[in-house]
DNA sequence: CTTGTGTCCTGTAGGC
DNA sequence: TGCCTACAGGACACAA
């Protein structure tokens, strides 16, 4: 569910609220969301640790702890982090981190696909291979046309699939890839190695633009209200989407009907008038 | 290595 | 109301 802008929004809020807070207890309500290490060790290692900083890499949240270690969280499709006051377990709560200053951070994951990890040193468990292999972030200065064309070189895959590849575009997901392709004027099924350098440049600019706009608007909360900030507030980027979730509706630029196609098992939206 | 497909898991919305 | 299907902001393990 959450992509780079949503995770970044969550990061900023948690950094503000949790910096300096000490974990006094870790309640595990469902063991299989603990990606590493085993449940008992996960709980023991976290108890007593103080949150020093909250960082983000791609769609991963990284809580830097002292005296040592990191708590790494990936929300996958349906995960949430909520700051809660009371003791009552939230619906679909899988893990709860209770803090010394009162209140707790609840990891809520209806589908139980998301994972939390604790790591000590520099070496990462195999379960975090995806983390280690992350590519550059589109909002990074070094994510430039040279970088992207090098990664697209010789790749016959559809451009949409490569935008979703975290080893190439860390943090990009289904919504923002469609939005970026719209602004770049490129159809999602185009072969990556057949994009002209002008198109790659437009794509780089579009990615940076839509991700920054997403962050500025605190993320995308669709009508179903599935993504929320840790304090429960909605993101405002949903109103600003050009194509994602708008199948059959008129393009906001040219008026053509937005189309929805399937790529793999996932939906992709584009405007047949604006994108070629 | 690359590419496409299936799978993990659960909830919800919509059709009949 | 109940049953069935499709779909969901993700990432992997596979087979070809």
């Amino acid at each position: 569910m959450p992509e780079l802008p949503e995770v970044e929004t969550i990061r900023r809020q948690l950094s503000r609220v949790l910096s300096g807070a000490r974990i006094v207890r870790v309640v595990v309500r469902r063991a299989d969301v603990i990606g590493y290490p085993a449940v008992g060790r996960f709980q023991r290692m976290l108890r007593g640790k103080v949150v020093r900083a909250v960082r983000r890499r791609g769609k991963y949240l990284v809580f830097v702890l002292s005296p040592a270690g990191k708590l790494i969280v990936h929300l996958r499709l349906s995960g949430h982090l909520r700051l809660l006051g009371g003791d009552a377990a939230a619906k679909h709560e899988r893990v709860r981190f209770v803090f010394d200053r009162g209140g707790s951070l609840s990891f809520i994951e209806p589908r139980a696909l998301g994972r939390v990890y604790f790591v000590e040193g520099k070496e990462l468990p195999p379960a975090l291979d995806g983390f280690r292999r992350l590519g550059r972030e589109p909002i990074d200065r070094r994510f430039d046309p040279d970088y992207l064309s090098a990664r697209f070189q010789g790749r016959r895959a559809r451009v949409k699939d490569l935008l979703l590849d975290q080893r190439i575009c860390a943090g990009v997901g289904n919504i923002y890839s469609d939005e970026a392709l719209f602004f770049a004027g490129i159809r999602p099924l185009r072969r990556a190695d057949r994009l002209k350098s002008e198109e790659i440049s437009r794509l780089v600019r579009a990615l940076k633009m839509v991700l920054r706009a997403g962050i500025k608007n605190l993320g995308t909360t669709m009508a179903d209200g599935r993504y929320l900030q840790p304090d429960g507030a909605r993101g405002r980027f949903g109103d600003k989407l050009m194509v994602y979730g708008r199948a059959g509706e008129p393009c906001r630029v040219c008026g053509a009907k937005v189309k929805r196609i399937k790529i793999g098992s996932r939906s992709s939206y584009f405007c047949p008038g604006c994108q070629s």
Side-chain angles (χ1 to χ4, degrees):
Chain A
M1 157 187 1
E3 307 179 31
L4 189 154
E6 289 74 37
V7 181
E8 176 62 18
T9 300
I10 292 166
R11 183 196 74 76
R12 291 179 182 185
Q13 198 168 95
L14 293 182
S15 177
R16 237 180 293 132
V17 176
L18 293 180
S19 290
R22 182 183 302 273
I23 299 169
V24 292
R25 197 156 54 91
V26 177
V27 182
V28 176
R29 310 202 125 93
R30 184 159 162 165
D32 58 1
V33 304
I34 313 295
Y36 184 86
V39 176
R41 185 165 164 78
F42 179 84
Q43 291 171 300
R44 278 197 307 281
M45 296 303 288
L46 281 165
R47 190 160 43 226
K49 297 272 201 291
V50 175
V51 177
R52 286 301 172 207
V54 188
R55 303 203 179 122
R56 180 192 57 75
R57 181 77 175 94
K59 298 169 193 167
Y60 293 85
L61 270 175
V62 181
F63 297 77
V64 181
L65 309 170
S66 68
K70 294 185 173 86
L71 169 67
I72 301 181
V73 178
H74 197 300
L75 301 170
R76 290 279 196 118
L77 277 164
S78 58
H80 304 255
L81 287 169
R82 288 294 295 272
L83 290 159
L84 299 172
D87 285 339
K91 194 171 184 192
H92 301 127
E93 180 173 285
R94 308 306 188 191
V95 184
R96 168 176 292 233
F97 304 90
V98 183
F99 292 95
D100 58 346
R101 49 174 72 163
S104 53
L105 180 67
S106 180
F107 177 57
I108 298 164
E109 227 309 19
R111 293 172 71 175
L113 295 171
R115 293 290 181 268
V116 296
Y117 311 86
F118 175 82
V119 296
E120 276 239 77
K122 245 185 132 24
E123 65 289 4
L124 297 173
L128 282 167
D129 277 352
F131 180 88
R132 189 152 30 81
R133 293 201 252 254
L134 287 171
R136 291 187 187 171
E137 313 229 343
I139 55 173
D140 188 323
R141 208 169 13 83
R142 295 175 313 140
F143 190 102
D144 56 19
D146 283 346
Y147 170 76
L148 201 59
S149 36
R151 305 312 294 269
F152 282 4
Q153 181 79 31
R155 298 294 302 267
R156 305 152 59 91
R158 309 151 174 133
V159 59
K160 162 90 176 187
D161 281 332
L162 296 196
L163 291 183
L164 293 176
D165 187 335
Q166 300 302 295
R167 294 167 298 185
I168 299 176
C169 303
V172 174
N174 211 24
I175 294 181
Y176 295 92
S177 56
D178 279 2
E179 294 297 302
L181 287 167
F182 171 80
F183 285 107
I186 298 166
R187 295 199 184 199
L189 290 175
R190 291 277 302 283
R191 257 175 66 165
D193 61 358
R194 295 213 179 132
L195 294 180
K196 292 178 291 199
S197 58
E198 174 56 31
E199 293 178 307
I200 292 185
S201 293
R202 290 207 306 263
L203 189 49
V204 168
R205 278 199 298 278
L207 280 164
K208 291 176 186 293
M209 195 269 287
V210 294
L211 291 171
R212 290 201 177 110
I215 294 171
K216 196 166 177 184
N217 286 278
L218 308 173
T220 302
T221 301
M222 304 292 285
D224 56 26
R226 274 210 304 243
Y227 156 75
L228 297 172
Q229 298 173 58
D231 64 4
R234 302 168 66 90
R236 291 186 262 102
F237 198 63
D239 315 327
K240 305 198 161 56
L241 297 176
M242 302 299 274
V243 287
Y244 185 85
R246 299 191 65 242
E249 293 176 50
C251 171
R252 300 189 202 276
V253 172
C254 77
K257 260 173 121 177
V258 173
K259 288 187 77 170
R260 182 176 87 149
I261 56 173
K262 283 284 185 187
I263 299 183
S265 58
R266 315 189 65 189
S267 291
S268 201
Y269 301 84
F270 70 97
C271 168
C274 295
Q275 294 170 258
S276 48

